[in-house]
Amino acid sequence: MTDPAPARLVVLVSGSGSNLQALLDAATDPAYGAQVVAVGADRDGIAGLDRAAAAGVPTFVDPVKAYETRDDWDAALTAHVSEHKPDLIISAGFLKLVGARFLAAFGDRYINTHNALLPSFPGIHGPRDALAYGVKLAGATLFFVDAGVDTGPIVAQVSVPVLDDDTEETLTERIKVAERAQLVDYVGRLVREGWTIENRKVRIP
Ligand code: GRF
């Protein structure tokens, strides 16, 4: 029996792209079962796009400001992602909330990794907010994106300790190490094994 074709991943980024790099590295092993077929961004000049180019992966850039309305941007992003026929779309440090069109097209296969243990500390300052609150455990959450901000069904969570002398930078880095491993592990499992979502419960058979 021949192996099934690798699943097609489209990864969306806004920054350094270390999570993207972890996926690119994992996908070099045919047993991983997935390949990154395109990388999209909402801005130019970011390391994430350089990482994609270095791996020979096609890129596209859709800045919100390039479109008259947010809905036009959402339509363009949806069209660009569609062109690559993704099985799974991964927001890996993508700092834009997608709109209704994107969710209608991909809501059942669009995941995001967030650097906090949801439902605590949603938004863009997860580690900073966790540190300010004084929690003893921080971490990362992988979830299916819905129309809310970091509210969708949870695929997986991983925790790391918060140390007494942590700064926002040290905690952010500790979370990112665990976050990358979780992302690679669960993206592989999702594409190889499939998943169901019922009453917010994500199950990988
Ligand atoms: C990740 O920690 C993610 O949770 C947060 O931004 C970071 C992205 O890092 N939203 P990178 O661009 O993958 O290095």
Side-chain angles (χ1 to χ4, degrees), residues 19 112-118 138-143 154 156-160 174-180 182-183:
N19 283 287
N112 181 34
T113 179
H114 177 64
N115 52 8
L117 292 174
L118 294 171
T141 303
L142 185 66
F143 63 98
I154 291 172
Q157 294 186 296
V158 60
S159 63
V160 301
R174 189 175 310 115
I175 292 170
K176 282 182 86 163
V177 172
E179 182 180 29
R180 285 193 291 266
Q182 172 172 262
L183 180 69

Side-chain angles (χ1 to χ4, degrees), residues 24-48:
L24 289 167
D25 293 347
T28 60
D29 178 356
Y32 188 61
Q35 57 177 348
V36 180
V37 295
V39 171
D42 65 328
R43 63 198 72 188
D44 260 320
I46 54 170

Side-chain angles (χ1 to χ4, degrees), residues 1 10 25 31 35 58 69 74 86 99 103 106 132 134 140 149 155 157 159 174 199-200:
M1 210 173 84
V10 171
D25 293 347
Q35 57 177 348
T69 67
D74 193 45
L103 288 177
F106 305 121
V149 178
V155 178
Q157 294 186 296
S159 63
R174 189 175 310 115
N199 299 327
R200 288 191 58 88

